Amino acid sequence: MRSLGNVLWLTLKELRVLRADPVLLLLVVYTFTIAVYTVATGVKTEVRNAAIAVVDEDRSELSRAVTAALLPPLFQPPAAIAPAEVTPALDAGRFVFVLQLPPRFESDLLASRPVDLGLDVDATAMAQAGNGAAYIQQIVLATIGERLGTAAPPIALAVRLRFNPNGLPEWFTSVMQVMNSTLILSIILPGAAMLREREHGTLEHLLAMPVTPLEILLAKIGANALVIVAAATLSLLLVVRGLLAVPIAGSVPLFVLGTIVFQVSVAALGVLLATLTTSTGQFGLLALPVFILMMLLSGSMTPLESMPGWLQAMVQVLPTTQFVAFAQSVLFRGADFALVAPRLGVLCLLGLLFFGAAYRRLRHTLAE
């Protein structure tokens, strides 16, 4: 009971220190509100409002129908340009796509003669260029088939989008940003709190008190866990579900449970990194590549399936990889506890490993 009391008082001390630091409070609020909203609504790789031009050398009813079929929100209203303007327009970055319809376009198709269309693409934005070229091809073929009465293929493929029926990127990006924010702050706040004790000279005061390294570590992690988990939950409910209108399919309490386990393991990693450095600047330089690497390899930005097989196996030991898979199952697919229990088990195991390493390193540092 005495040990629990020490942890409680140390936790309250950490919360008061955090409350007295307006910069850290502003960082927490910004990370889970403005950053989540702006990333979800502003960072897009799919085709939206792309600038397109059409070189119509046929001036037929079919060529006008193809031009009219290039509609928002995928594309801006097509601009009509001359063939000599194609290269200068692309060089100047005025258009991403330029579709060229040759002379006798409609008459050649009606006479069953081969027709070559040209599509110039500014491929500096690779994802948008590839997807947009595929959309334009589908639109052109569909318009030609509709206007000329081309027979439909004998097989029709019905596509159903599950978990995101409208294909809105905000649904995925907003949730992933909440998890990335949780990762970043879970590393920075506990590590900064430990280094602040050393830089302000209050670490010696703690050592003079009847507290143990374990109690200090639990207080550092526990205080920041309260703040970060509460902020992540409010961000999920108010920003993601409220402001961005992203439906939450699964259990929010189950997500909070997984967030707590994840936060404890990553916070222990933050304390471990702090014990390896002597200043806040060194800690920032060390923590930056760590959480960037963990984000890039977690599956929150790029699919794990696109990675080499050996790398897919290696990243399974990262807490972020397990947490992203857990959160996607709960929030998007409505998974229950039984389905995500293996992920939680791995997170608990990784948390114990990081916590044990941080505790051992903290004892060694305090002894020095």
Side-chain angles (χ1 to χ4, degrees):
M1 293 300 297
R2 179 179 178 180
S3 179
L4 290 176
N6 290 340
V7 172
L8 176 61
W9 284 111
L10 289 173
T11 301
L12 293 176
K13 178 190 77 71
E14 293 296 328
L15 292 175
R16 285 194 294 267
V17 171
L18 181 60
R19 185 184 62 182
D21 193 331
V23 175
L24 284 181
L25 286 178
L26 182 62
L27 176 64
V28 173
V29 174
Y30 167 81
T31 303
F32 284 104
T33 53
I34 299 176
V36 172
Y37 181 82
T38 53
V39 170
T41 57
V43 179
K44 299 179 183 293
T45 57
E46 77 286 352
V47 180
R48 282 293 185 274
N49 203 37
I52 186 170
V54 176
V55 179
D56 187 358
E57 298 183 88
D58 188 37
R59 305 289 181 179
S60 63
E61 182 180 351
L62 180 59
S63 65
R64 287 191 292 270
V66 169
T67 302
L70 302 171
L71 300 172
L74 296 180
F75 306 101
Q76 298 177 12
I81 62 174
E85 297 179 67
V86 174
T87 299
L90 289 173
D91 289 344
R94 291 172 52 199
F95 304 106
V96 180
F97 306 98
V98 177
L99 176 64
Q100 302 188 48
L101 304 176
R104 299 181 301 278
F105 170 55
E106 183 175 14
S107 60
D108 285 346
L109 286 175
L110 290 173
S112 299
R113 290 190 292 266
V115 176
D116 294 327
L117 304 184
L119 180 62
D120 294 282
V121 182
D122 181 354
T124 52
M126 286 300 299
Q128 188 181 54
N131 294 336
Y135 291 153
I136 293 172
Q137 182 180 13
Q138 294 173 5
I139 291 171
V140 171
L141 293 177
T143 304
I144 293 174
E146 179 183 351
R147 290 284 176 170
L148 301 184
T150 305
I155 298 176
L157 178 64
V159 179
R160 293 184 294 272
L161 300 178
R162 299 187 62 187
F163 315 121
N164 189 354
N166 295 322
L168 298 176
E170 295 87 351
W171 288 25
F172 175 81
T173 310
S174 58
V175 174
M176 294 302 102
Q177 183 61 25
V178 171
M179 287 185 280
N180 290 336
S181 299
T182 303
L183 166 66
I184 294 173
L185 292 181
S186 295
I187 291 179
I188 291 179
L189 293 187
M194 182 62 66
L195 287 170
R196 187 168 52 238
E197 301 280 7
R198 178 182 299 172
E199 293 177 345
H200 292 177
T202 56
L203 186 59
E204 289 77 6
H205 297 168
L206 285 178
L207 296 177
M209 297 173 62
V211 295
T212 63
L214 178 60
E215 294 169 355
I216 296 174
L217 180 60
L218 288 174
K220 297 291 182 186
I221 294 177
N224 290 284
L226 288 175
V227 175
I228 295 172
V229 173
T233 305
L234 290 175
S235 178
L236 183 69
L237 297 176
L238 301 180
V239 179
V240 176
R241 187 168 68 181
L243 189 59
L244 296 171
V246 178
I248 305 300
S251 169
V252 174
L254 181 58
F255 171 75
V256 172
L257 174 62
T259 304
I260 293 173
V261 178
F262 169 74
Q263 199 278 334
V264 169
S265 63
V266 178
L269 175 61
V271 174
L272 176 62
L273 296 177
T275 60
L276 300 174
T277 58
T278 58
S279 67
T280 305
Q282 289 182 357
F283 171 71
L285 292 175
L286 182 60
L288 185 63
V290 171
F291 62 68
I292 288 179
L293 186 66
M294 293 176 72
M295 283 193 297
L296 292 177
L297 299 180
S298 66
S300 63
M301 295 185 176
T302 57
L304 293 179
E305 293 77 8
S306 64
M307 302 178 186
W310 61 269
L311 186 57
Q312 293 184 40
M314 289 183 60
V315 298
Q316 296 302 318
V317 301
L318 297 177
T320 46
T321 304
Q322 299 296 328
F323 183 57
V324 166
F326 162 84
Q328 289 179 351
S329 297
V330 173
L331 299 179
F332 293 145
R333 306 184 188 99
D336 57 12
F337 180 81
L339 288 176
V340 297
R343 299 283 184 186
L344 283 176
V346 175
L347 276 175
C348 290
L349 178 60
L350 293 174
L352 289 175
L353 291 176
F354 283 125
F355 189 89
Y359 173 62
R360 183 174 181 178
R361 179 63 191 175
L362 180 61
R363 287 188 59 187
H364 178 73
T365 302
L366 295 179
E368 292 179 348

